[in-house]
């Protein structure tokens, strides 16, 4: 019940395309859903995050869509660029005394020029 | 640059040895989290400290321990190392503890541990 399932494992798109990465969870207590971007040899960097009382959030070219009833959320990258090539992780945490993040398995994105 | 620093960047050691990984959180952050990243297990939460006190434990082995000091830096101690402990170890920090927007976690560059 503590798992976050992420798909696809890898994704290749052409420059300008809109890659979509999906995540699903079971624990309805989760109330914070961040996405992280990781480049090789670097630590994960917070990209964008959403709370379940919002169905969509946009920051620049990155959009999170959230479906509370389906317990799913997804990341869309508009007008993708080769510089967006990285590994993307979704995560979730629940309210309480800790903020530990439960991560999805990651999606390796390649944007071809 | 997230503002979180970790040392050393790389560590190569032998089985059975003990190592210490160090993390300095962002200025003003009271929470420190440790995560392990391996190819087969992904990013796994190990342990969290808040203002010097342990707040949560994940799948952390008994051979591993951590502490947070009064200046808020944290150390992760790994002992009796095994080949399977080879991984990237990340430290993250946040302003507070608990869930939600106050839990925005910022990750350091990681320490790559290789056990031979």
């Amino acid at each position: 019940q503590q798992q976050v399932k992420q798909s696809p494992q890898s994704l290749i798109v052409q420059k300008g395309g809109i890659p979509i990465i999906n995540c699903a969870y079971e624990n309805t207590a989760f109330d914070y859903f961040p996405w992280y971007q990781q480049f090789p040899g670097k630590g994960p960097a917070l990209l964008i995050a959403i709370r379940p009382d919002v169905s969509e959030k946009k920051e620049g070219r990155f959009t999170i869509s959230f479906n509370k009833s389906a317990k799913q959320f997804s990341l869309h990258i508009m007008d993708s660029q080769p510089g967006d090539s990285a590994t993307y992780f979704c995560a979730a945490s629940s309210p309480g005394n800790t903020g530990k993040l439960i991560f999805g398995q990651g999606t390796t994105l390649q944007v071809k020029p | 640059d997230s503002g979180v620093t970790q040392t050393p960047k790389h560590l190569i050691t032998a089985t059975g040895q003990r190592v210490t990984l160090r993390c300095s959180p962002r200025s003003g952050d009271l929470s420190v989290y440790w995560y392990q990243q391996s190819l087969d297990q992904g990013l796994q939460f190990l342990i969290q400290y808040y203002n010097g006190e342990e707040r949560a434990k994940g799948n952390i082995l008994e051979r591993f321990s951590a502490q947070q000091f009064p200046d808020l830096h944290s150390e992760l101690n790994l002992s009796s190392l095994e080949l399977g402990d080879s991984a990237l170890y990340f430290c993250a920090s946040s302003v507070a503890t608990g869930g939600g927007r106050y839990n925005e976690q910022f990750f350091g560059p990681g320490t790559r541990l290789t056990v031979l």
Side-chain angles (χ1 to χ4, degrees):
Chain A
Q1 199 180 18
Q2 284 293 316
Q3 281 186 324
V4 176
K5 294 183 180 179
Q6 183 172 344
S7 62
Q9 191 172 4
S10 63
L11 193 52
I12 301 174
V13 300
Q14 292 294 132
K15 177 183 173 182
I18 305 176
I20 301 173
I21 304 170
N22 301 298
C23 286
Y25 63 97
E26 289 294 325
N27 186 353
T28 55
F30 286 150
D31 75 337
Y32 173 70
F33 302 89
W35 284 88
Y36 282 83
Q37 179 190 57
Q38 186 179 27
F39 293 104
K42 304 290 186 184
L46 180 62
L47 202 55
I48 185 173
I50 198 168
R51 296 288 300 271
D53 53 350
V54 175
S55 62
E56 186 177 275
K57 183 175 181 180
K58 290 184 182 181
E59 283 187 8
R61 294 184 295 108
F62 300 93
T63 299
I64 300 179
S65 297
F66 191 88
N67 187 330
K68 188 175 181 178
S69 60
K71 290 183 285 186
Q72 294 176 349
F73 58 110
S74 59
L75 177 71
H76 302 233
I77 305 175
M78 306 302 175
D79 187 28
S80 59
Q81 302 296 313
D84 296 329
S85 298
T87 300
Y88 293 81
F89 292 92
C90 63
S93 72
S94 52
N97 210 24
T98 176
K100 68 179 183 182
L101 291 172
I102 308 299
F103 281 91
Q105 285 297 98
T107 297
T108 301
L109 170 66
Q110 182 183 356
V111 181
K112 290 190 169 182
Chain B
D1 184 0
S2 67
V4 178
T5 61
Q6 289 187 250
T7 56
K9 193 170 177 63
H10 301 278
L11 201 47
I12 301 174
T13 188
T15 55
Q17 295 298 304
R18 173 189 169 94
V19 297
T20 297
L21 313 183
R22 183 188 168 102
C23 166
S24 292
R26 293 186 321 155
S27 177
D29 285 358
L30 299 178
S31 268
V32 169
Y33 306 79
W34 286 96
Y35 294 87
Q36 179 192 59
Q37 185 175 37
S38 59
L39 282 174
D40 56 342
Q41 294 291 323
L43 270 162
Q44 298 279 319
F45 168 74
L46 294 178
I47 196 164
Q48 178 208 1
Y49 279 81
Y50 174 74
N51 204 19
E53 293 187 359
E54 182 185 303
R55 274 300 169 93
K57 262 187 175 180
N59 296 326
I60 187 167
L61 300 170
E62 284 191 12
R63 301 183 285 107
F64 295 1
S65 65
Q67 54 183 326
Q68 186 179 28
F69 295 86
D71 66 352
L72 301 177
H73 91 272
S74 178
E75 292 181 356
L76 179 67
N77 301 296
L78 315 176
S79 62
S80 303
L81 285 167
E82 301 175 0
L83 296 177
D85 297 328
S86 295
L88 274 165
Y89 291 85
F90 288 105
C91 164
S93 72
S94 66
V95 170
T97 186
R101 60 189 175 94
Y102 298 109
N103 183 40
E104 285 185 348
Q105 292 183 30
F106 296 87
F107 282 71
T111 293
R112 180 175 293 280
L113 174 66
T114 303
V115 182
L116 301 175

